[in-house]
């Protein structure tokens, strides 16, 4: 199994901050990496696919980068509606796995 | 706009079989560039991929659940289903269905959209 490790597990930030979340794969996954946002009581929502492609309708303050084993989700200018949990997800092998999540809280 | 809606019993007794259905609207289950999947999330925890079914009817399952899982499709009703046998309290979770986007000539895949999720509790 490919293990996906996110860091940090949680963070506190203020509106307007630049936030960076990291996802590390236990082996190379090329760019087979997606990012989802989940708010309490809601289903996850796709933000970024194929490591860096912004899903239609997602604000441009969200950005993804990386390839191989190290990936980053960046939120440039945190907004009140961005406080949520973020998950990375790989589809490199037939067994798809998620990171454990990063909770972004209000400072 | 593609929408998915899970349905099924919210309470299942231990050792019994959990059965859920995902109704799809706005897209055909036989669409060549999509296939379909189940994911679950225990309360306060992360996401676990359960399995997927292709338009051909072939399936792939998470090895940790493979011996207990069956995913099937009913094209006449445009819905797909999940069965998980011999459930225990550890199977208590919110269960999501999702479409898998599989672009032509590209190996990348992603989930979009997701259903709203349905809570299944395993308890006697």
């Amino acid at each position: 199994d490919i293990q996906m490790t996110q860091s940090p597990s949680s963070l506190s930030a203020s509106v307007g901050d630049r936030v960076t979340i990291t996802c590390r794969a236990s082996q190379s996954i090329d760019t087979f990496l997606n990012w989802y946002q989940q708010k309490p009581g809601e289903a996850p929502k796709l933000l970024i696919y194929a490591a860096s492609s912004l899903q239609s309708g997602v604000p441009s303050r969200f950005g993804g980068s990386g390839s191989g084993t190290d990936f980053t989700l960046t939120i440039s200018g945190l907004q009140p509606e961005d406080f949520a949990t973020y998950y990375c997800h790989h589809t490199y092998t037939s067994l798809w796995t998620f990171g454990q999540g990063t909770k972004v809280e209000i400072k | 706009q593609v929408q998915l809606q899970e349905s099924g019993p919210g309470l299942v007794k231990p050792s019994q079989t959990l059965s859920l259905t995902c109704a799809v609207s706005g897209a055909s289950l036989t669409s060549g560039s999509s296939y379909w999947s189940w994911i679950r999330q225990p309360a306060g925890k992360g996401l676990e991929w359960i399995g997927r079914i292709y338009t051909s009817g072939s399936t792939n399952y998470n090895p940790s659940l493979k011996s207990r899982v069956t995913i099937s499709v009913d094209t006449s009703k445009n819905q797909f289903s999940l069965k998980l046998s011999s459930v225990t309290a550890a199977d208590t979770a919110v269960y999501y269905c999702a479409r898998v986007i599989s672009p032509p000539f590209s190996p990348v895949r992603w989930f979009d959209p997701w259903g709203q999720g349905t809570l299944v509790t395993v308890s006697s």
Side-chain angles (χ1 to χ4, degrees):
Chain A
D1 304 4
I2 297 177
Q3 308 303 317
M4 307 300 292
T5 303
Q6 290 182 231
S7 60
S9 295
S10 65
L11 64 91
S12 295
S14 300
V15 172
D17 284 353
R18 179 183 177 91
V19 169
T20 299
I21 298 169
T22 298
C23 178
R24 175 164 289 174
S26 59
Q27 67 181 72
S28 177
I29 58 169
D30 196 342
T31 57
F32 290 48
L33 190 283
N34 309 310
W35 289 98
Y36 302 89
Q37 175 195 65
Q38 186 179 34
K39 298 179 181 179
E42 297 184 5
K45 169 190 168 185
L46 178 70
L47 297 176
I48 303 286
Y49 62 92
S52 61
S53 295
L54 188 68
Q55 169 68 350
S56 175
V58 174
S60 59
R61 62 181 179 273
F62 290 93
S65 64
S67 66
T69 60
D70 295 314
F71 301 87
T72 299
L73 174 69
T74 301
I75 310 173
S76 302
L78 197 66
Q79 296 300 301
E81 60 267 31
D82 301 337
F83 292 95
T85 300
Y86 295 83
Y87 292 94
C88 62
H89 160 236
H90 90 84
T91 58
Y92 187 71
T93 59
S94 60
L95 173 54
W96 298 345
T97 56
F98 294 87
Q100 81 278 17
T102 295
K103 187 173 184 179
V104 177
E105 299 176 301
I106 301 173
K107 181 182 285 184
Chain B
Q1 181 184 2
V2 179
Q3 293 184 313
L4 291 80
Q5 178 68 60
E6 305 88 350
S7 63
L11 181 63
V12 181
K13 289 182 167 50
S15 81
Q16 294 191 342
T17 297
L18 178 160
S19 295
L20 297 175
T21 296
C22 180
V24 179
S25 59
S28 169
L29 283 182
T30 59
S31 168
S33 61
S34 302
Y35 45 99
W36 311 91
S37 198
W38 288 96
I39 304 105
R40 71 180 182 178
Q41 184 175 37
K45 296 188 178 180
L47 299 160
E48 179 181 32
W49 172 71
I50 298 171
R52 57 183 172 261
I53 186 163
Y54 297 86
T55 54
S56 63
S58 63
T59 54
N60 291 119
Y61 300 130
N62 189 320
S64 68
L65 299 168
K66 186 175 182 178
S67 63
R68 300 193 290 130
V69 172
T70 302
I71 296 176
S72 60
V73 65
D74 185 339
T75 54
S76 67
K77 295 182 179 179
N78 214 45
Q79 63 187 32
F80 62 105
S81 300
L82 169 71
K83 291 189 185 299
L84 182 65
S85 64
S86 304
V87 297
T88 69
D91 296 310
T92 295
V94 174
Y95 286 76
Y96 296 101
C97 57
R99 180 177 66 169
V100 180
I101 300 294
S102 173
F105 314 112
S106 172
V108 296
R109 310 282 183 266
W110 58 90
F111 296 124
D112 183 62
W114 299 55
Q116 66 183 28
T118 187
L119 174 63
V120 178
T121 301
V122 178
S123 175
S124 54

